[in-house]
Amino acid sequence: MAILITGGAGFIGSHLTQILLKQSDAKLVTIDNFNDYYDPALKRENVKPVANEPRVTLIEGDFCDSAAMKRLFDEHDIDQVVHLGAMAGVRISVQKPEMYQQANVAGTLSLLEAARHHPVKRFLLASSSTVYGKGAGVPFREDAPLGIPASPYGATKRAAELLCLTYHQLHGVPAACLRPFSVYGPRLRPDLALTIFAKAVHEGTPIPLFGDGSIRRDFTHVSDICQGLIVALTAEGVVGQEINLGHSDPIEMRRLIELLEKSFGKKAVIDYQPERPEDLPITYANLEKAEKLLGYGPKVLIEDGIQEYVDWFRSWHG
Ligand SMILES: Cc1cn([C@H]2C[C@H](O)[C@@H](COP(=O)(O)OP(=O)(O)O[C@H]3O[C@H](CO)[C@@H](O)[C@H](O)[C@H]3O)O2)c(=O)[nH]c1=O
């Protein structure tokens, strides 16, 4: 019996692997293709802390390869899956939608097919708050109309959710869709606004800010997201559901910049750029369902989380 973590060398996947090592005695199998969406050397760093752990098997491979996934599920006797691997950048998805459909839709289907032919107890899809569209009412509720996703990335995540729900209904795959909101923390992806802004403040270069700073994001610490996922691996009533994992306290991007200024002890220079049509003006999670089904409640305050992030950033960038 083992837990499969896809995208195991990524930001959330590498944290989840480390936390599961501490909190469970399960065997962990992680798969990652170490693609060059961002510097693969960073992904190699991410997995270093677990590389020599006897309970962890790191596989370099592609979850879109459905024959390989079927073999993997059998060989490692996979009984729980956390599917974190994805093409994840919102704006690049506008330029290269095919890559997103391949990784996020075909890739999810490949894993669901493997799960259908192997007795798994739980299949968790890490979806995204980007499945909510511009028209969705805030705070976002799982049972309210979603609207149309603003980006191909959001559309592929919604498609992946629908495949999970169909495979649950049709084939009895015990799948659930978790929707993380703006996850941050040490090892954050380099393409995300927080990393780009932190680097700019650190180096004294201009921050490329899309819009006037009033766009809001529901930043959620990676440790809170991992706890939500871990509980969802076994909780009752989760299968066949879509569940928000957020902070339910969105902040404006200009407030994020203020927090960075405080933590770095430096003033930011801002290069205002036009808002992008593929960006949601706000993300804001309603957490009633997560509280009810998972006993979920975010613990890390944004002020503390950003300070921790900046401390990590400095230790990394000198
Ligand atoms: C990269 C970049 C972004 N931004 C703006 C665009 C958004 O309004 C806001 C946040 O952008 P990002 O950090 O790229 O995150 P966002 O587009 O919300 O999407 C993230 O959050 C989603 C929800 O958790 C994840 O599913 C995605 O994988 C992740 O990419 O900052 C800037 O103003 N300047 C920038 O250089």
Side-chain angles (χ1 to χ4, degrees):
M1 308 279 230
I3 305 176
L4 174 66
I5 300 168
T6 71
F11 161 52
I12 304 175
S14 62
H15 280 282
L16 182 67
T17 309
Q18 272 185 286
I19 297 174
L20 273 171
L21 257 182
K22 288 203 192 105
Q23 294 189 4
S24 86
D25 52 12
K27 285 188 189 154
L28 306 173
V29 178
T30 72
I31 183 165
D32 204 295
N33 66 359
F34 292 87
N35 69 22
D36 62 1
Y37 174 69
Y38 62 85
D39 185 357
L42 295 175
K43 301 175 194 179
R44 307 247 171 237
E45 276 301 317
N46 288 348
V47 296
K48 265 192 188 161
V50 300
N52 295 319
E53 289 287 344
R55 268 201 290 133
V56 179
T57 306
L58 299 170
I59 296 173
E60 188 156 346
D62 186 356
F63 55 72
C64 295
D65 181 343
S66 81
M69 287 309 97
K70 283 180 187 145
R71 282 196 305 276
L72 184 152
F73 274 59
D74 288 340
E75 271 167 31
H76 295 275
D77 200 7
I78 301 300
D79 71 334
Q80 291 168 309
V81 180
V82 187
H83 179 27
L84 286 156
M87 284 298 297
V90 169
R91 280 152 299 279
I92 306 292
S93 78
V94 181
Q95 317 304 325
K96 298 181 175 170
E98 297 85 0
M99 283 166 60
Y100 284 71
Q101 107 79 26
Q102 174 62 15
N104 301 352
V105 185
T108 301
L109 188 61
S110 154
L111 289 160
L112 284 167
E113 272 293 306
R116 165 158 104 88
H117 291 105
H118 191 89
V120 300
K121 293 203 204 91
R122 195 65 45 105
F123 184 107
L124 300 182
L125 168 72
S127 178
S128 167
S129 56
T130 52
V131 298
Y132 293 100
K134 284 190 173 163
V138 287
F140 297 157
R141 287 183 66 94
E142 298 88 340
D143 58 2
L146 285 175
I148 296 170
S151 64
Y153 166 64
T156 60
K157 281 288 183 182
R158 181 62 184 149
E161 287 188 345
L162 291 172
L163 282 169
C164 288
L165 300 177
T166 300
Y167 267 61
H168 168 238
Q169 184 181 267
L170 186 64
H171 300 301
V173 174
C177 309
L178 285 305
R179 295 176 176 162
F181 282 63
S182 298
V183 191
Y184 75 100
R187 303 187 196 142
L188 188 66
R189 276 178 19 221
D191 61 314
L192 290 171
L194 176 54
T195 314
I196 292 169
F197 292 7
K199 197 160 181 280
V201 178
H202 183 63
E203 292 172 357
T205 55
I207 288 180
L209 179 65
F210 306 156
D212 63 1
S214 64
I215 286 179
R216 292 199 283 162
R217 284 290 175 274
D218 199 8
F219 287 101
T220 312
H221 195 266
V222 65
S223 61
D224 287 323
I225 296 293
C226 287
Q227 276 319 313
L229 291 169
I230 289 170
V231 175
L233 276 172
T234 52
E236 302 272 321
V238 162
V239 166
Q241 299 295 321
E242 298 129 309
I243 307 169
N244 292 337
L245 292 179
H247 198 252
S248 203
D249 188 14
I251 61 161
E252 292 189 339
M253 295 306 286
R254 62 165 75 101
R255 171 77 182 131
L256 181 73
I257 294 172
E258 282 170 15
L259 291 172
L260 286 171
E261 289 180 324
K262 189 160 169 261
S263 292
F264 278 107
K266 277 189 188 176
K267 198 90 193 102
V269 184
I270 299 180
D271 171 17
Y272 289 96
Q273 298 189 9
E275 250 180 73
R276 311 281 178 108
E278 64 272 29
D279 282 333
L280 291 173
I282 179 168
T283 65
Y284 183 179
N286 175 295
L287 295 176
E288 279 168 32
K289 192 169 179 182
E291 277 163 24
K292 187 167 160 240
L293 295 179
L294 306 174
Y296 171 85
K299 304 262 181 310
V300 182
L301 295 175
I302 185 80
E303 291 79 6
D304 300 337
I306 293 296
Q307 185 60 57
E308 179 214 32
Y309 171 75
V310 169
D311 292 344
W312 170 81
F313 184 97
R314 280 189 160 132
S315 71
W316 187 246
H317 291 85

